[in-house]
Amino acid sequence: MGANNHPDYAEELERLEYTKEYMQRLLGETEREAAASRENIRQSMGDLEHLDSSLSYINILTNARFFEMAAGRKEELEAVLQNPYFARIHFRKDGEGAELLYIGKTSLFHRETQEPVIVDWRSPVANVYYDGRIGEVTYKVNGEESHGHLYAKRQYKIEGGTLMDIRDVDLTTNDELLQQALSGKADVRLTEIVSTIQKEQNEIIRANLKRPIIVQGAAGSGKTTIALHRISYFLYTMGKNFPPEKLMILAPSELFIGYISDVLPELGVNKIRQTTFETFVLGATGLKLKVADPNRKLERLAEGSAVDRETLLLSRLKGSLAYRDALDRYVALIEKETAGLFEDVYIEKFRIIKKERLRRLFLKEFSYLPLQKRLDRIAGILRTETARKRKEILSALTARYEQALDKALFGIRDDRRRREQTIRLIDERDKRLPAIEREGKKTAATYMKRFPAYNIKKLYRKWCTDKGLIQQTAFAWTEAEKRAFLRKTGEERWETEDLAALLYLQARLAGVADHWNMRAVFIDEAQDYSAFQLFVLRDSLDTDMFTIVGDLAQGIHSYRSISDWDTVRDLFPRAAFRTLQKSYRTTAEIMKAANDVLGRLAEDLPLVEPVVRHGPVPEVHRAERFNPREVHELYEAIRAKGHRSVALITKTSREAEEMVAGFTVSDHDAILLNHGSVPESGRLLVIPGHLAKGLEFDAVMIAAFSDPFRDFELDRKLLYVAMTRPMHELHLIGDFSLFLGSRSDQENPDRMQ
């Protein structure tokens, strides 16, 4: 029912207007505070010339902080002014009175009374809304249980500051509200999902933040939603100890980063690092490499082009922990070689430090550090020791020369001999002591020059191409693997699979710079990571605070990535493991067709359970060739139903490019989505299947002609990915009888010519 039919409509309208008016008043005060801080900064800058400069600097810094806080609060209030809250709970905490708490994307307290105007969805008490049934409830605050009574839950639909709908929530209306949210548009749903987070999703979002978590989530189960909201919850709960710059989300592509770019600010999250694995590794290592397109190998496999067995064998080998073990032995050889360079340290003829002590420091006491940082520590010790010993030597020699001069002056009776001896001693002293002073100041730096800098790229290439080193370090590999490795790595060609090795060597030999040293990591589409990639991220960053979400059914890079979660659980033994089998994205009819394909996959995964939301049965349009006009007519028919985001998904990039070219020639508007694209609502989006992972659209057309879907494992996964992208409507153009059987003709007997 509409909002104005609700018995509490007048009361709720009054509350909404009060909230908006109070926020407007706060905005005005915040703007005045920001203006005052700006004016104070201007005056302090002018006073730098004739007042105590330190006091002026303090004033500038203080007011700059006030200005930053005011500007941030202003931005926060403006973001939620037109939709300040989405729910309300009538709640009584044990020992306190009952109160009405309005839940939104941010918290707001009355400045005079400190009463909550809006409660942040991430707060402990808001958990009652997501998890609590009506009646007695329990929730945690700072790890301790709190108890209370939940009398009622209510949800609102507020658009542009107008109260559109009011729903009192029980189990039935909760389903209705979810259905209503899911029936919305894909280009806005991700930013509004906070109001319809489900119990099992909420449990993962709020799971112990000090432990890693691994989530196997079916297509449409909300994996990306969970990852993004867990970041927001993480910063809300632990932000004082974890600045946002130390949090990182690893996305599958730049396209995906663009897709989520508007969501994090909506959740109050800014400044976290959003990047891909490749970009992170190149940044953390400081290497400038031209890495081959990570999807090209996949494309060749999808196109049915010949990809030799050795290439696939090496892709899997480079992602394995056996590859890590071989590199580990290589690092041990480098460590041993470096240790062999230590010799006794001298200033002139005086031994300052024995080589045995330096080797012990390098191999034992500093063994927890990367090799370069061990050397840096030792260089520091050398500087301190040589400075101290230099002074001791100079002091002792000065005393010795004074003693020798006294002996010459007062012990030699012959004038000529006394004069010669005195002059000799003075000349020797005046030359030797300054020479020792100069040598001593340079001893540490000169000594450390014997240790060449670790060039990660050259060391890796040396290992890749040295048969002796491979035999010495990779003895666990088969002879076929060794031969293939040496044959294939002869040319300097950098692939995605090499990045984990480069990051590993960087971490073990030189260390990762603080700027790149993240403290918490969130990985989406984790099924496309290899065991070595996940290990090296954990190892190089020296943290296991990971949120890892993925779906093995969408593991289109399985030739080089994980094939089960057991390996990942072994790498993160403290991790909780959760599964999500319910899909909130698509209709029951579309999911039934997608489940037909899922059931054909090698992984023994249960079928996806769709939320019972109905829509049209997927239509198969039989066609032998691509007809731009007819496909575009279908697109226009879909758009006429009110769908804003519509994608045409192909199996390969080659066919996507061919279709965009065909649309262009036929004077029909279409845009090709690639790694750097940003999806545009209102235009036909043409996208190859491997880039569609993680995205969702109102409606999807899947077309395959020159690169048809074959009954191979990779093709089945690519088709499954494509079929699980739409929220409302799915059309398959071409011949899909191999996967959907005779039902195809029954669903739509029409043919595209």
Side-chain angles (χ1 to χ4, degrees), residues 369-404:
L369 292 170
L371 303 193
Q372 185 57 57
K373 291 190 176 181
R374 298 185 208 178
L375 293 175
D376 293 342
R377 287 279 186 94
I378 289 169
I381 290 171
L382 279 177
R383 285 192 293 271
T384 301
E385 288 284 286
T386 52
R388 183 174 64 81
K389 291 289 182 68
R390 185 181 77 242
K391 290 177 182 178
E392 291 178 4
I393 292 168
L394 289 172
S395 178
L397 285 176
T398 299
R400 196 179 302 171
Y401 277 114
E402 291 296 330
Q403 193 176 25

Side-chain angles (χ1 to χ4, degrees), residues 37 40-46 48 53-66:
S37 296
N40 288 337
I41 292 171
R42 190 189 65 78
Q43 289 182 3
S44 296
M45 292 290 286
L48 281 175
S53 60
S54 61
L55 182 60
S56 295
Y57 278 124
I58 291 171
N59 286 336
I60 291 169
L61 292 173
T62 302
N63 281 284
R65 178 62 180 149
F66 284 151

Side-chain angles (χ1 to χ4, degrees), residues 343-373:
E343 297 292 343
D344 293 342
V345 184
Y346 287 90
I347 295 178
E348 202 200 45
K349 62 181 180 180
F350 300 97
R351 184 165 63 186
I352 305 302
I353 305 177
K354 291 183 178 181
K355 62 184 177 184
E356 288 78 14
R357 180 190 169 194
L358 295 176
R359 287 177 184 170
R360 186 175 66 254
L361 287 171
F362 183 75
L363 294 172
K364 302 292 183 183
E365 295 183 30
F366 296 150
S367 61
Y368 62 94
L369 292 170
L371 303 193
Q372 185 57 57
K373 291 190 176 181

Side-chain angles (χ1 to χ4, degrees), residues 137-191:
V137 294
T138 300
Y139 62 100
K140 287 189 176 182
V141 181
N142 297 325
E144 296 183 3
E145 285 193 348
S146 292
H147 304 273
H149 190 93
L150 180 62
Y151 295 99
K153 294 196 286 185
R154 180 172 286 178
Q155 192 174 73
Y156 309 96
K157 183 179 181 182
I158 301 171
E159 292 182 356
T162 301
L163 184 59
M164 307 295 290
D165 199 4
I166 305 171
R167 299 283 184 101
D168 292 302
V169 181
D170 56 25
L171 199 57
T172 303
T173 37
N174 190 51
D175 285 344
E176 290 175 2
L177 292 165
L178 178 62
Q179 294 280 353
Q180 188 177 29
L182 296 179
S183 66
K185 301 306 174 188
D187 53 356
V188 296
R189 194 172 78 89
L190 199 58
T191 61

Side-chain angles (χ1 to χ4, degrees), residues 478-491:
T478 66
E479 287 303 315
E481 287 172 335
K482 292 176 189 175
R483 286 194 301 271
F485 182 77
L486 289 167
R487 184 159 50 247
K488 288 287 185 181
T489 55
E491 295 180 10

Side-chain angles (χ1 to χ4, degrees), residues 685-700:
L685 310 171
V686 184
I687 180 171
H690 65 268
L691 285 180
K693 278 194 299 90
L695 307 182
E696 63 181 29
F697 308 93
D698 292 339
V700 164

Side-chain angles (χ1 to χ4, degrees), residues 410-450:
F410 302 107
I412 300 175
R413 294 184 179 182
D414 185 277
D415 290 342
R416 184 179 61 77
R417 284 187 57 233
R418 182 172 61 247
R419 186 170 58 253
E420 288 175 353
Q421 181 72 348
T422 301
I423 292 170
R424 184 184 65 78
L425 286 170
I426 291 172
D427 287 346
E428 183 181 311
R429 180 196 65 187
D430 290 349
K431 288 179 181 178
R432 189 181 183 193
L433 296 187
I436 290 174
E437 177 80 21
R438 289 191 300 272
E439 182 184 346
K441 287 180 177 179
K442 297 188 296 184
T443 296
T446 301
Y447 184 86
M448 294 307 296
K449 285 180 180 178
R450 70 186 60 211

